[in-house]
Amino acid sequence: VARGGTAVAEDEAPCRLRFRVMFYDDREHDCIVDSPAIYKLIEADIAATSVVVWLGISFAQSASCDYLRRIQAAAGDRRVIHVVVNPSPDAAFNARSSLADAADSDIRAVHATSDELFAALLAPAPPDPDVVVDNPPR
């Protein structure tokens, strides 16, 4: 986890999520990702991960497909859910197609932009008429 460009120890992180930002050898790449070290972190993280969310990744570039394959390999026999959030229906198809044995993967598609996804997740739920709250929060 990085905070203002400074690494934060896992036990200091505010939640159990680990965010990763991957760039493809652009100007800022070395400021964010140490390529050899990132693969070691991926292997360590995947051991305790049940879901990986891919926001806005099309899997049309070989680098993103390589990250997906490395995560699958690091998971070994563990089944990890991959949620591909992208308005294009091709993104999840591309992800599945990049794997040698897509039948052993659990790739799910959310056809939305990340902004749309977060807006939907943060929107208040409509009241359910079948749910009765005995002790409403104060």
Side-chain angles (χ1 to χ4, degrees):
V1 175
R3 198 178 289 148
T6 305
V8 177
E10 178 95 12
D11 58 347
E12 294 177 31
C15 61
R16 300 273 313 150
L17 300 175
R18 183 184 295 271
F19 297 93
R20 292 279 182 259
V21 176
M22 301 290 192
F23 287 93
Y24 307 120
D25 296 322
D26 61 7
R27 260 183 343 152
E28 291 82 19
H29 175 85
D30 290 334
C31 298
I32 298 170
V33 177
D34 174 8
S35 293
I38 197 69
Y39 295 119
K40 290 180 184 175
L41 284 173
I42 287 172
E43 290 174 3
D45 284 348
I46 205 66
T49 299
S50 54
V51 177
V52 176
V53 180
W54 302 85
L55 295 171
I57 306 297
S58 67
F59 293 98
Q61 294 82 19
S62 61
S64 54
C65 294
D66 183 51
Y67 293 136
L68 174 61
R69 286 190 292 269
R70 286 176 183 255
I71 288 173
Q72 282 294 102
D77 292 337
R78 288 185 52 252
R79 194 153 184 98
V80 174
I81 298 168
H82 296 272
V83 179
V84 177
V85 179
N86 193 305
S88 170
D90 294 337
F93 173 81
N94 292 344
R96 284 184 198 95
S97 298
S98 74
L99 299 173
D101 192 357
D104 286 342
S105 64
D106 189 351
I107 297 177
R108 303 176 189 191
V110 175
H111 297 143
T113 66
S114 58
D115 288 344
E116 292 167 341
L117 173 70
F118 289 124
L121 290 173
L122 298 174
D128 186 339
D130 296 328
V131 175
V132 177
V133 178
D134 291 330
N135 298 313
R138 294 180 186 184

